[in-house]
C-alpha cells in the first residue's frame, strides 16, 4: 500500500470520528477485495478500517454492518460495526478489532458448517435493499425468477455457448432444471465462509465470524455450501477432507445433496458470467475462463 493512499486526509478524519488515530496504521491481510488496516484508540482497544481495492466495486458495507448486527442478535459472535459511509468517493467501514487467540481454531470447517446453518436463521427485518438480488426481496419469487432467467438464456443464440463456456445447452438445462422441483429454505447466506474469516477467542469459545460484505440471499445453507464446492472441486484451494467436514456440519453430506450442489454451482457459474458480460465486460474473459473450467470439473465430481 503506497503512502499516498494511507496518507489521504479522509482516512485520518474517519478514524478520529471513532476515537482512533492514523498515526500508526498496521496493514492487515485483506485479500484482493479490501484494503484493511488496524488503528489504535488512545483510550484503549483498536479498530479495523476497510475500503475496496477495486475503485469500481459497489458499496457493500451497509449490508455488512446490518448483517453483523443481526448475527450478533441471534448469538453468532461478530466484530461490532462502528461506522460506514463514503468519503472522497471511497466507500469505507470501521469495526471493532478482535485480538485473535494465538492458539488458533481446531476444526475450522466444522465451525463454518455450523455457522452456515445459523446464518440462515437470521431474520431479514430492516435489511438494506442492496442485500437482495435484481429479482427482488420476495425470496420465493426471486429464486424462481433466477432459475427461469438462466434457463431461458440457454437458447440457440447464447453468447456464453458461442464463447465456449459450456458444450451442451441440453445438459445445462437438465442440470439447472432439476432445481425447479426441489424445495429449499430461503434466507441469508454469509457469502464467504472461510477460515480467514474466523477469529479464535480460545479453545472454549466460539470463534468470531467477520467480513459480511458478500452476504446475499438464497437457498440456505446451500448458498454458502456452494462456495465450498467451488473451492474444493474447481479452485482446489481446500482439501476434500475440509469440504467433507463442512458438509457434515452443515447437514448436506448425502449423495443427493452433492448432486443438488453441483446443479447450484453450475447455475452460479453461468449466472455470474452473464453478469460480467452485461455489467463488467472488463471481467468477462476472466469469468468466462472460470466458468468453462468450473463446469468441466464440477461435472466430473458427480
Amino acid at each position: 500500500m503506497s503512502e499516498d493512499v494511507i496518507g489521504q486526509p479522509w482516512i485520518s478524519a474517519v478514524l478520529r470520528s471513532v476515537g482512533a488515530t492514523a498515526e500508526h496504521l498496521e496493514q492487515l491481510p485483506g485479500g484482493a477485495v479490501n484494503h484493511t488496516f488496524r488503528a489504535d484508540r488512545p483510550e484503549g482497544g483498536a479498530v479495523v478500517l476497510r475500503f475496496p481495492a477495486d475503485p469500481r466495486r459497489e458499496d457493500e458495507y451497509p449490508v455488512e454492518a446490518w448483517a453483523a448486527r443481526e448475527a450478533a442478535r441471534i448469538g453468532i459472535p461478530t466484530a461490532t460495526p462502528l461506522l460506514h459511509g463514503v468519503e472522497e468517493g471511497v466507500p469505507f467501514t470501521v469495526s471493532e478489532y478482535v485480538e485473535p487467540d494465538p492458539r488458533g481454531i481446531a476444526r475450522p470447517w466444522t465451525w463454518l458448517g455450523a455457522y452456515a446453518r445459523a446464518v440462515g436463521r437470521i431474520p431479514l427485518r430492516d435489511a438494506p435493499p442492496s442485500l437482495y438480488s435484481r429479482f427482488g426481496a420476495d425470496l420465493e419469487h426471486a429464486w424462481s425468477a433466477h432459475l427461469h432467467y438462466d434457463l431461458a438464456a440457454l437458447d440457440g443464440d447464447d453468447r456464453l455457448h458461442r464463447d465456449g463456456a459450456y458444450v451442451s445447452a441440453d445438459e445445462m438445462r437438465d442440470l439447472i432444471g432439476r432445481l425447479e422441483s426441489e424445495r429449499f429454505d430461503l434466507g441469508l447466506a454469509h457469502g464467504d465462509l472461510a477460515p480467514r474469516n474466523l477469529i479464535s477467542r480460545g479453545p472454549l469459545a466460539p470463534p468470531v465470524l467477520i467480513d459480511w460484505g458478500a452476504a446475499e440471499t438464497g437457498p440456505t445453507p446451500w448458498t454458502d455450501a456452494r462456495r465450498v464446492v467451488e473451492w474444493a472441486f474447481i479452485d482446489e484451494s481446500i482439501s476434500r477432507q475440509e469440504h467433507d467436514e463442512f458438509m457434515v456440519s452443515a447437514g448436506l453430506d448425502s449423495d443427493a445433496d452433492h448432486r443438488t450442489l453441483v446443479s447450484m454451482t453450475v447455475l452460479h457459474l453461468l449466472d455470474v458470467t452473464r453478469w460480467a458480460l452485461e455489467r463488467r465486460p472488463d471481467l468477462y474473459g476472466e469469468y468466462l475462463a472460470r466458468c468453462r473450467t468450473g463446469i468441466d470439473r464440477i461435472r466430473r465430481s458427480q
Side-chain angles (χ1 to χ4, degrees):
M1 172 62 61
S2 63
E3 290 300 324
D4 60 327
V5 174
I6 296 175
Q8 292 185 40
W10 71 263
I11 292 179
S12 295
V14 164
L15 291 174
R16 282 197 304 271
S17 72
V18 294
T21 174
E23 196 170 328
H24 301 292
L25 283 179
E26 175 190 356
Q27 188 164 9
L28 302 174
V33 175
N34 289 299
H35 297 311
T36 306
F37 295 94
R38 178 187 184 276
D40 291 325
R41 289 189 283 196
E43 295 183 0
V47 301
V48 174
L49 166 70
R50 288 183 297 131
F51 53 95
D54 181 351
R56 294 180 57 183
R57 193 172 183 87
E58 295 181 5
D59 183 2
E60 300 167 343
Y61 300 131
V63 165
E64 176 172 317
W66 169 84
R69 284 194 300 267
E70 294 303 312
R73 289 183 197 275
I74 70 162
I76 299 174
T78 65
T80 303
L82 301 174
L83 180 68
H84 63 84
V86 179
E87 291 287 345
E88 304 291 336
V90 181
F92 71 89
T93 183
V94 183
S95 60
E96 289 188 344
Y97 174 74
V98 179
E99 185 71 41
D101 186 285
R103 289 169 290 184
I105 301 167
R107 303 183 73 84
W109 289 100
T110 297
W111 278 110
L112 291 166
Y115 280 158
R117 290 187 287 111
V119 168
R121 296 194 293 270
I122 294 174
L124 298 181
R125 57 177 178 262
D126 301 323
S130 56
L131 172 69
Y132 300 104
S133 75
R134 63 193 183 280
F135 300 111
D138 181 330
L139 298 192
E140 292 285 352
H141 168 77
W143 173 242
S144 177
H146 176 37
L147 286 176
H148 291 159
Y149 167 79
D150 281 287
L151 282 166
L154 296 167
D155 59 19
D157 191 36
D158 184 9
R159 169 74 182 273
L160 269 61
H161 185 224
R162 288 187 279 120
D163 288 346
Y166 59 88
V167 174
S168 166
D170 287 340
E171 182 184 23
M172 296 299 99
R173 277 191 290 268
D174 287 344
L175 278 171
I176 297 173
R178 67 192 188 193
L179 295 173
E180 290 186 293
S181 62
E182 298 199 40
R183 294 294 174 263
F184 303 104
D185 291 329
L186 301 169
L188 187 68
H190 177 274
D192 193 14
L193 288 179
R196 64 179 173 272
N197 288 327
L198 292 178
I199 300 177
S200 173
R201 297 188 299 166
L204 300 181
V208 173
L209 181 58
I210 63 170
D211 197 354
W212 295 79
E216 59 182 307
T217 56
T220 179
W222 301 89
T223 301
D224 276 318
R226 184 258 307 154
R227 293 290 302 271
V228 177
V229 169
E230 290 186 48
W231 294 329
F233 293 95
I234 300 176
D235 302 327
E236 298 179 334
S237 58
I238 68 172
S239 69
R240 298 294 174 85
Q241 179 180 341
E242 291 167 326
H243 165 277
D244 292 349
E245 286 179 5
F246 177 96
M247 295 303 169
V248 168
S249 185
L252 302 176
D253 56 326
S254 71
D255 290 342
D257 293 336
H258 181 71
R259 288 191 294 272
T260 297
L261 284 165
V262 165
S263 293
M264 286 196 172
T265 305
V266 169
L267 171 66
H268 175 73
L269 289 168
L270 292 171
D271 189 70
V272 297
T273 306
R274 293 190 198 286
W275 169 84
L277 177 63
E278 296 169 5
R279 299 281 299 277
R280 289 293 301 268
D282 57 311
L283 299 176
Y284 177 61
E286 174 188 340
Y287 278 52
L288 179 68
R290 177 175 172 77
C291 184
R292 182 188 302 119
T293 300
I295 287 176
D296 180 60
R297 290 182 178 175
I298 201 69
R299 285 171 56 252
R300 288 191 275 112
S301 75
Q302 295 189 89

